[in-house]
Amino acid sequence: MEDDTLVVFLSDHGTNFADNLEKVTGKPAGALYPGTMHIPLLMRHPNRLGAGKRLRELVYTLDVPATVCAAAGTGPEDGLEGKNLLSLLEGGHFESREYLTCRYSNSVWYRDERNWYFSDVHWDNIRLFDLESSDPFSETIARRASDRVNLAQRRIMRDPGGELPQYPLKNTDKVKAPFI
């Protein structure tokens, strides 16, 4: 079986262990730090292609079903989005993403090669981190990088078609950042 089985290991989210600017633990929606958002994805190709490679592509969890469909030799069902990741292991062409976005409860998140951004859906409690910094999560640069904040917000709005409704929530923990 190991010669013809694609093995995929994936987590849906992580958790914060106070290893962030605000010392947040757990996974509250207002604290979309790497502990929560940077999740593991391990794949083992049946022919051992790409063995030992470590890739830094921006991928979504929805790429996994598209990859599994491709490995099974079927097309994805209508409405299934995602990219086939097999070409990353097989050395074929893969069209890299420029950025990722996510919504978790009434919070939004954005990441590209330079920026890690999150806020609530009203653009309050903005955190922007410079991923090119030697210690990117030691301080938010939101106040002095309005061009980067605007880019993140434009791209966040583009993905859902220009609207971010607020969901009524009860008894939710909201992480506030008084220094922003």
Side-chain angles (χ1 to χ4, degrees):
M1 266 177 52
E2 78 179 49
D3 292 336
D4 62 2
T5 304
L6 173 70
V7 178
V8 179
F9 171 83
L10 174 72
S11 170
D12 65 339
H13 60 78
T15 190
N16 294 300
F17 291 105
D19 55 347
N20 53 64
L21 183 62
E22 299 160 275
K23 305 301 180 207
V24 175
T25 59
K27 59 177 184 109
L32 301 179
Y33 285 102
T36 303
M37 302 302 291
H38 192 194
I39 61 174
L41 170 60
L42 302 170
M43 294 191 331
R44 182 195 157 278
H45 193 281
N47 298 326
R48 310 254 185 328
L49 298 176
K53 276 188 179 179
R54 182 177 173 153
L55 304 169
R56 299 188 52 82
E57 292 291 334
L58 298 175
V59 301
Y60 283 111
T61 54
L62 56 88
D63 294 333
V64 173
T67 303
V68 170
C69 285
T74 68
E77 296 289 324
D78 286 340
L80 177 65
E81 298 177 12
K83 294 184 177 199
N84 174 3
L85 302 175
L86 288 177
S87 61
L88 291 170
L89 301 177
E90 296 169 349
H93 174 73
F94 182 80
E95 191 172 327
S96 296
R97 288 187 175 90
E98 271 189 84
Y99 65 91
L100 300 174
T101 63
C102 182
R103 178 179 181 150
Y104 178 51
S105 187
N106 282 322
S107 296
V108 290
W109 171 83
Y110 168 87
R111 175 173 179 202
D112 62 25
E113 290 298 319
R114 296 180 60 208
N115 304 293
W116 186 288
Y117 170 100
F118 61 92
S119 70
D120 68 24
V121 294
H122 300 296
W123 313 126
D124 292 327
N125 295 316
I126 295 172
R127 276 68 139 223
L128 175 68
F129 301 98
D130 182 355
L131 296 178
E132 297 173 326
S133 167
S134 61
D135 189 10
F137 296 97
S138 64
E139 68 170 329
T140 177
I141 62 166
R143 285 192 177 174
R144 64 179 186 267
S146 61
D147 57 329
R148 292 163 78 165
V149 167
N150 291 335
L151 174 67
Q153 291 174 351
R154 276 194 318 275
R155 287 178 166 176
I156 288 168
M157 293 300 290
R158 180 185 311 152
D159 284 355
E163 184 180 347
L164 287 172
Q166 180 170 353
Y167 301 129
L169 303 173
K170 294 180 181 179
N171 302 323
T172 59
D173 295 329
K174 187 170 185 178
V175 176
K176 292 274 188 189
F179 49 82
I180 296 177

